[in-house]
Amino acid sequence: MSSQTAFERNRPAASLVADALRDSRPAVFWLDGLERPARPTLTGGQRADLVVVGGGYTGLWTAVRAKERDPDRSVIVLEAHEVGWAASGRNGGFCDASLTHGEENGRRRWPAELDQLDRLGADNLDGIEQTVQRYEMAVEFERTGELSVAVEPHQVEWLAGADGFLDAEAVRAEVNSPTYLAGAWSREGTALLNPGRMALELARVAEQLGVEIYEHSAVTGIERGERPTVRTERGWVNAERVALATNVFPSLLKRNRLMTVPVYDYALVTEPLSQAQLAEIGWRDRQGLADLANQFHYYRLTADNRILFGGYDAIYPRGGRLDSAHEERPATFTRLGEHFFTTFPQLAGLGFSHRWAGAIDTSTQFCAFYGTAAGGHLAYAAGFTGLGVAATRFAADVMLDLLGGCPTERTELEMVRRRPLPFPPDPIAALGIGATKWALDRADHNQGKRNLLLKALDAVGLGFDS
């Protein structure tokens, strides 16, 4: 490799990172100490107009939007564990308007639709903000935008001409890091929120609207027919329509088993910063931040002025199997800690309180795909690839449109109508993902230049540009 990155050129002392991690707990900050209402487990038989499988954002938004469209519709949500316990409660809380995982990915795949997709994404984010206000949802919603930062010279060129461009002096006036060479502040396209509270508040709103939510009710199978029957270990629901919102977990549809792969993402949260520490870094406008590398970091302030710092490592588990053992990865947390103190050396001595991981449902088009089965009685959405906090609401509307059987602007989109390529089975998938990770890392060490493997993936629509 021809060069080191900023995080290798300015690596902090190992003892500093070890001290900062020493008292951190393997717990999700957003879920730690949340009070949950007791919810029943499904037993015996039920009937409903709509059954939603999955109690994360996708499923909860589907339930809420279904009742908002038709208050008389009976809706049941079946959740295998507790609402919001998986990706919906473990993410960074970046609620981004993009439906396509960023402008570059959208332009490469759906150039003729990009303006339309951007408009729909902006409307969707506005709709989330309006929902938060309408139901007085206590989710720490902040429409502060996102600041993209260049930490390598070649990344400055990528930002040239961008709306909201900031040179080195201007970006450091916003957030003071010696690694920042330039930035671009998108003021309207991103909000920040508390992911755990968002899940619980969506569930509260759903129940307020008349939705029944059953927890610890894993679905074991679906019997097709004019009224599909959704079965759990202890009960069943006979339904008019079914919406699958299981995302990273193995699909109940055989056709979708190879459409996503799980990738583990990791995060740290610090202790609350003192006023003196806040003064050292600025950050008065509380934007979300992300750098521009292929292996990028995302970070933000919490309501009590901690810093969440995540990203960089993306780990594909052996065999594509979800296992909580993958959540405790000391080498990754040490690397994140190093990169944190490279970014903010003035915060030396600050400790981390929480460390955790969560699995992302990754598709080959790097954003959600959609479809129907069982003669239109069942709809699904999955593959959000880590940018689903807002896009799950759009997905809920798409699934409800599809289940309604009438074409809408959303269902006519090529992005909605076309399925992406599936992943190959293991071990081919593992080899391909490993080779791609190596190539992306090499690009980050070589002024962002993409090698033959990445160019070939770009040519067949499998290339990723974060």
Side-chain angles (χ1 to χ4, degrees):
M1 293 185 182
S2 59
S3 64
Q4 293 184 319
T5 69
F7 302 102
E8 293 157 342
R9 295 191 299 269
N10 304 289
R11 181 174 282 136
S15 59
L16 171 67
V17 178
D19 287 345
L21 286 167
R22 181 167 292 116
D23 295 328
S24 66
R25 295 190 296 113
V28 183
F29 171 71
W30 307 116
L31 302 177
D32 197 10
L34 272 187
E35 293 185 9
R36 295 175 174 271
R39 293 192 172 94
T41 297
L42 181 69
T43 57
Q46 298 273 13
R47 289 175 68 88
D49 296 322
L50 174 66
V51 170
V52 180
V53 182
Y57 290 156
T58 307
L60 293 171
W61 273 120
T62 302
V64 168
R65 297 294 289 154
K67 292 295 281 188
E68 288 181 332
R69 292 185 183 199
D70 180 1
D72 294 328
R73 175 165 27 191
S74 57
V75 180
I76 288 177
V77 174
L78 300 176
E79 165 55 41
H81 295 280
E82 296 177 317
V83 296
W85 76 278
S88 295
R90 295 167 181 257
N91 61 83
F94 284 67
C95 191
D96 196 288
S98 177
L99 304 174
T100 61
H101 209 292
E103 182 180 352
E104 289 301 318
N105 193 48
R107 178 179 293 111
R108 184 160 53 237
R109 300 179 189 281
W110 307 286
E113 291 183 348
L114 186 58
D115 288 345
Q116 184 182 14
L117 289 166
D118 285 347
R119 172 177 55 79
L120 289 169
D123 290 346
N124 182 63
L125 181 56
D126 288 342
I128 292 173
E129 184 170 17
Q130 292 158 10
T131 302
V132 168
Q133 294 169 350
R134 181 184 313 122
Y135 298 109
E136 298 181 340
M137 298 170 69
V139 298
E140 299 166 6
F141 190 92
E142 301 178 83
R143 191 100 178 233
T144 52
E146 181 173 347
L147 184 60
S148 300
V149 293
V151 297
E152 303 291 347
H154 67 271
Q155 296 171 5
V156 178
E157 299 173 16
W158 295 346
L159 289 177
D163 292 339
F165 177 80
L166 303 171
D167 63 18
E169 181 179 358
V171 72
R172 291 178 188 177
E174 286 293 332
V175 184
N176 183 19
S177 170
T179 63
Y180 297 169
L181 304 179
W185 184 4
S186 172
R187 293 173 181 261
E188 293 297 324
T190 303
L192 300 177
L193 51 74
N194 180 314
R197 290 188 180 277
M198 186 66 179
L200 265 61
E201 284 288 83
L202 277 173
R204 175 186 67 81
V205 170
E207 290 173 325
Q208 177 182 318
L209 294 174
V211 174
E212 297 179 59
I213 300 177
Y214 294 92
E215 296 183 326
H216 305 289
S217 301
V219 172
T220 56
I222 300 175
E223 297 173 7
R224 303 190 184 194
E226 280 300 310
R227 288 184 61 92
T229 298
V230 181
R231 294 196 175 273
T232 69
E233 288 184 354
R234 300 173 61 186
W236 70 92
V237 183
N238 186 254
E240 183 71 26
R241 296 287 186 268
V242 178
L244 293 185
T246 54
N247 296 327
V248 77
F249 296 96
S251 178
L252 292 163
L253 292 177
K254 185 176 181 180
R255 72 179 70 172
N256 285 344
R257 295 283 169 82
L258 295 177
M259 295 303 293
T260 63
V261 296
V263 176
Y264 279 87
D265 180 58
Y266 297 80
L268 297 170
V269 161
T270 71
E271 298 289 353
L273 274 64
S274 67
Q275 288 302 310
Q277 289 169 324
L278 279 171
E280 285 283 337
I281 60 173
W283 217 339
R284 291 172 297 277
D285 293 311
R286 299 180 60 83
Q287 312 96 321
L289 282 105
D291 62 48
L292 297 176
N294 291 298
Q295 298 180 105
F296 65 96
H297 309 85
Y298 57 87
Y299 39 118
R300 44 98 33 118
L301 291 168
T302 66
D304 60 348
N305 290 327
R306 301 167 187 261
I307 298 175
L308 178 147
F309 194 85
Y312 194 80
D313 271 354
I315 304 301
Y316 175 68
R318 180 175 297 178
R321 289 186 293 273
L322 296 168
D323 190 329
S324 59
H326 299 302
E327 296 176 19
E328 186 59 51
R329 200 166 189 270
T332 292
F333 292 125
T334 295
R335 185 174 296 114
L336 275 177
E338 291 175 349
H339 294 181
F340 175 86
F341 287 113
T342 295
T343 303
F344 295 122
Q346 63 270 54
L347 297 181
L350 182 65
F352 297 107
S353 61
H354 296 73
R355 64 183 192 272
W356 75 89
I360 294 169
D361 59 326
T362 303
S363 72
T364 58
Q365 67 183 21
F366 308 109
C367 59
F369 64 92
Y370 311 89
T372 61
H377 291 274
L378 182 150
Y380 56 82
F384 294 91
T385 318
L387 206 65
V389 174
T392 50
R393 180 184 181 274
F394 179 82
D397 278 326
V398 170
M399 285 197 289
L400 292 171
D401 290 348
L402 292 171
L403 290 173
C406 295
T408 67
E409 181 182 12
R410 285 180 287 260
T411 62
E412 292 300 296
L413 290 166
E414 183 186 0
M415 186 187 77
V416 169
R417 291 186 290 107
R418 190 181 73 187
R419 281 168 63 91
L421 293 172
F423 287 94
D426 270 328
I428 299 172
L431 292 171
I433 293 168
T436 302
K437 272 194 64 179
W438 170 84
L440 291 170
D441 181 70
R442 186 175 182 87
D444 285 339
H445 286 80
N446 190 27
Q447 293 83 50
K449 296 175 182 175
R450 298 170 80 82
N451 65 12
L452 289 176
L453 172 60
L454 294 181
K455 290 178 179 177
L457 292 173
D458 291 340
V460 296
L462 299 177
F464 179 59
D465 188 330
S466 63

